[in-house]
Amino acid sequence: DAGITQSPRHKVTETGTPVTLRCHQTENHRYMYWYRQDPGHGLRLIHYSYGVKDTDKGEVSDGYSVSRSKTEDFLLTLESATSSQTSVYFCASRVGGEGTEAFFGQGTRLTVV
Amino acid sequence: DQQVKQNSPSLSVQEGRISILNCDYTNSMFDYFLWYKKYPAEGPTFLISISSIKDKNEDGRFTVFLNKSAKHLSLHIVPSQPGDSAVYFCAASGEYGNKLVFGAGTILRVKS
């Protein structure tokens, strides 16, 4: 299995506060992704990265920003957390864009109160 | 606009029988399709994939079929086992392979 870790694993935060989730991979994968999982919606793509400092929006990017200053780290920031952002967040990485599978982290359960 | 659709939220089958999970997609630029399995409190794990140049790929008990003209793929599990009970996600990529888009998932319950 690819070495991909997410931190923190659980977080409770208050509405209006900034939150940063970290994804770290040790496989030198070029592509990295952030998803959120919600009942009835499956895994929805928030943002993804196709290289250092190269990122693009996914399906549900409003309210989120990302940064990738090193190949191994992909950060997801909620600038001002809202209750609608309560979810389970998954990070994934992929060695090459085409014809390869993505490997997922264990997830971060975020609760905004 | 949901580009990958799994229209069956859940499926229940008897142990030993076949499980068939379906997936439809709308973007004709997708050229690589994957199935993932997810247990509660764990990250999704890769199961099987298929390229658009093929119409079938098999790996043990798991077979994926692709019908490009219908923009439809299916995952067959034969024989189904209780340990197969999980959420199954269909995913697709294309357009230079950057994005990886998932469906809403299907909960499979295999009864013993």
Side-chain angles (χ1 to χ4, degrees), chain A residues 31 33 35 37 42 94 97 102 105, chain B residues 32 36 38 43 93 97-98 100 104:
Chain A
Y31 297 85
Y33 307 83
Y35 295 89
Q37 184 191 10
R94 198 178 186 195
Chain B
Y32 189 64
Y36 280 79
K38 186 184 180 303
S93 73
N98 283 341
L100 184 58

Side-chain angles (χ1 to χ4, degrees), chain A:
Chain A
D1 288 347
I4 181 165
T5 55
Q6 294 182 228
S7 59
R9 293 291 312 280
H10 302 271
K11 186 168 181 68
V12 180
T13 192
E14 294 186 350
T15 299
T17 61
V19 177
T20 295
L21 309 183
R22 180 180 184 242
C23 179
H24 179 78
Q25 54 108 349
T26 59
E27 304 298 317
N28 202 34
H29 287 173
R30 177 183 177 186
Y31 297 85
M32 297 186 75
Y33 307 83
W34 275 108
Y35 295 89
R36 59 178 289 175
Q37 184 191 10
D38 304 289
H41 293 280
L43 291 163
R44 292 183 292 175
L45 181 64
I46 305 172
H47 283 280
Y48 65 101
S49 170
Y50 45 97
V52 173
K53 297 185 180 178
D54 291 322
T55 64
D56 204 351
K57 296 179 179 180
E59 308 161 89
V60 289
S61 59
D62 287 349
Y64 302 95
S65 62
V66 290
S67 66
R68 192 163 178 209
S69 59
K70 297 185 292 184
T71 298
E72 56 266 34
D73 291 324
F74 193 31
L75 304 180
L76 176 70
T77 297
L78 291 66
E79 302 291 347
S80 177
T82 68
S83 58
S84 65
Q85 294 176 312
T86 292
S87 186
V88 180
Y89 291 84
F90 288 99
C91 173
S93 71
R94 198 178 186 195
V95 60
E98 298 183 33
T100 59
E101 68 265 30
F103 296 89
F104 280 82
Q106 292 288 79
T108 295
R109 181 172 293 276
L110 177 67
T111 303
V112 184
V113 298

Side-chain angles (χ1 to χ4, degrees), chain B residues 75-95:
Chain B
L75 175 67
H76 292 212
I77 306 173
V78 183
S80 300
Q81 300 174 353
D84 296 329
S85 297
V87 180
Y88 288 79
F89 290 102
C90 171
S93 73
E95 300 178 90

Side-chain angles (χ1 to χ4, degrees), chain B residues 33 60 72 74 79 81:
Chain B
F33 304 89
H72 176 84
S74 60
Q81 300 174 353

